[in-house]
Amino acid sequence: QVQLVESGGGLVQAGGSLRLSCAASRSIFSIVVMGWYRQAPGKQRELVATITSGGRINYVDSVKGRFTISRDNAKNTVPLQMNMLKPEDTAVYYCGASLVGSTIFGQGTQVTVSS
């Protein structure tokens, strides 16, 4: 198992930037897929971005060109750089680790973008 702790959320104006970080309790070297997810009020949790151990990256269309995911296997962290934020990006953001048969999530960090 692995525990994940997200940080870096906050309140920002539209057009601003935030950098989220996900810290894992153990090595993420062997975790094939790490990702960021978000859940807005009244909506289902959605995938925002994923990165594989081989460096393959995918983004949901709505964040392409604005968000950048990376992973640092040496520090066991998965940052998410978010630029040009929009009010519709407001949500609780969760880090996720895809293990065999399940995805483990952290407790989440709130991101609020004001217009």
Side-chain angles (χ1 to χ4, degrees), residues 53-111:
S53 53
R56 180 174 295 180
I57 293 173
N58 282 300
Y59 298 101
V60 66
D61 285 347
S62 59
V63 308
K64 286 180 179 177
R66 300 189 297 122
F67 290 12
T68 302
I69 189 172
S70 58
R71 66 189 283 169
D72 187 332
N73 289 337
K75 296 181 178 179
N76 301 324
T77 59
V78 182
L80 181 69
Q81 178 67 41
M82 306 187 297
N83 298 328
M84 297 181 287
L85 283 161
K86 304 176 181 180
E88 51 263 44
D89 294 318
T90 295
V92 178
Y93 283 71
Y94 299 89
C95 179
S98 296
L99 306 178
V100 176
S102 66
T103 298
I104 305 298
F105 295 101
Q107 84 289 348
T109 185
Q110 176 69 47
V111 171

Side-chain angles (χ1 to χ4, degrees), residues 4-75:
L4 305 171
V5 178
E6 302 93 337
S7 61
L11 173 64
V12 64
Q13 288 188 331
S17 298
L18 282 174
R19 184 176 177 85
L20 305 183
S21 185
C22 170
S25 60
R26 66 161 177 84
S27 172
I28 63 171
F29 181 80
S30 62
I31 300 177
V32 175
V33 182
M34 296 292 299
W36 282 94
Y37 303 73
R38 65 186 180 188
Q39 187 168 17
K43 295 187 177 181
Q44 290 188 332
R45 187 176 298 181
E46 68 167 346
L47 178 68
V48 174
T50 58
I51 182 167
T52 70
S53 53
R56 180 174 295 180
I57 293 173
N58 282 300
Y59 298 101
V60 66
D61 285 347
S62 59
V63 308
K64 286 180 179 177
R66 300 189 297 122
F67 290 12
T68 302
I69 189 172
S70 58
R71 66 189 283 169
D72 187 332
N73 289 337
K75 296 181 178 179

